[in-house]
Structure formats: structure tokens, C-alpha cells
Amino acid sequence: MLITGAGGLIGQILRAGLADGRLVRGLDVARHPGVDHVANMTKLRRARRAFRDLDAVVDLAADPSLSASWRAVRRNNVPATLNALEAARLAGVRRVVFASSNHVVGGYERDEPYASVVAGRYDGLDPGRLPRLRSDAAIRPDTPYAVGKALGEAAARFYAEVHELSVICLRIGTVNRESRPTTPRHFATLLTHRDLVHLVDCCLAAPPEVGFAVVYGVSANTWRIWDIEEARALLGYSPRDDAERFRA
């Protein structure tokens, strides 16, 4: 299998966590530890060389900054995503795991009760009664970066339905080096390293019948605002961590 964007934090976590029993290769735009192929994913011809003889691809290649400009998203993130899907199709890859983002639905965090939850204001709220967002909620991107990820999800569905390429889109929550909350919002959005590796492993092992899916990547946080029951039922995702255990 191949991880694109392997030089980033998530790429490094997955490279180490998925290596047991798998041959894992890494691709990035620059040389880093754990990077076997140096290629710019905005150049399809170069990307295709690294996609030969692959069973699966985890596509992380993008500028991950929430402050990325429209220009950066158009010139880098969108073509990198489209090229990953096209290179996978041409190479006969079985499955692509696409790193989408929770920010595809980030606009809901302006509304109650989500605004209070991500701010750490819990008075009058019951975490067991939160109307958690499912994958079929209308998208509400909060940045140009998020719009690019929403386009990636749409392209993934096209490739799944028209070209029969299995693609699972992960709306990834907060993954940081500390693997613990560092802001009030993280108590809702944290995805620990352990749960991240488990989730991607579930995606890779999912049966062929899973042709297309969108699921949220978040740990079993008491105050999570996104639904993970779809990921449990479809992929067998069973997160072990809850951000509450880090609460002072």
C-alpha cells in the first residue's frame, strides 16, 4: 500500500502504525524519513509511477492549513486529490482511503448546541442527547480548504460509481502530536493516534462491497458532535479513547 503525503504528521503515524504485516510505502513532495517516492501529486505522470502494483492507497496529499487560500486549494489540493483518484483507477488499485476533513461540516459549529460544545460551555447540555452530525448532513464548509475536501468527496463518489473504484472518505477530527486535547474544542474533536490507526486499518480491511462511504474520524469522546455509529456498523470501527480521560 502507498501513503501519499507521508511526510506529514498523520502520514508518519500511519506509516508506523500500519507497518505490521503490510508493505507500506510513502510518497511526498519532499524527502523525509519514511518517504520512498518523491513526487508532486499535482503532476499525474509522476504520481502514476508510484501507484504501480498497489492494492490500496491512503491519500493524505494536501496543504493541511485551514488558512490555505483559494489559489493554494485550486493549484495544489484539488489537483492532488483528483490525480490520486485517477492514478489509482489507471493502476487498478482496489481501495483508496481519502483524508477528508471535519471542516466539510464546520459551519455547524456556529450553531447551538455545537457552538457551546466546542467552546467548552456545557451548562444545561446532556452529552447523551446531542444531535450528532451524520455523514448525510448537508455540507457546510468553513474555509476554502474545506471546500476542496468537499470537492474531493464528490470526486470520490464519481470514481466509485462510474469507475468502480472503492473509496472511503474520512472526515478526520483533531490529530495532534500530543494525542490529547490542548484546547476546549479538542474534547469534542480529538482523534488519538491509536484510534486513527485503528480506523484506517478498518478501512483497508473493509469488504469489497463497501464501494463508497463517508465516515467521521473521531475518538469515542463523551462530547463528540459527529456520529460514529456508521463507522462502527460499516467498518467495524471501535475506538478505545475518550478525550475526557485527559480532563484536569
Side-chain angles (χ1 to χ4, degrees), residues 22 49 54 68 93 101 119 137 152 245 248:
R22 289 191 180 93
R49 298 191 191 114
L54 292 176
V93 172
S101 172
R245 70 187 181 92

Side-chain angles (χ1 to χ4, degrees), residues 227-246:
D227 178 84
I228 59 174
E229 296 311 309
E230 292 169 296
R232 288 187 195 273
L234 190 65
L235 306 175
Y237 176 52
S238 182
R240 297 172 62 185
D241 295 317
D242 182 342
E244 286 303 298
R245 70 187 181 92
F246 297 106

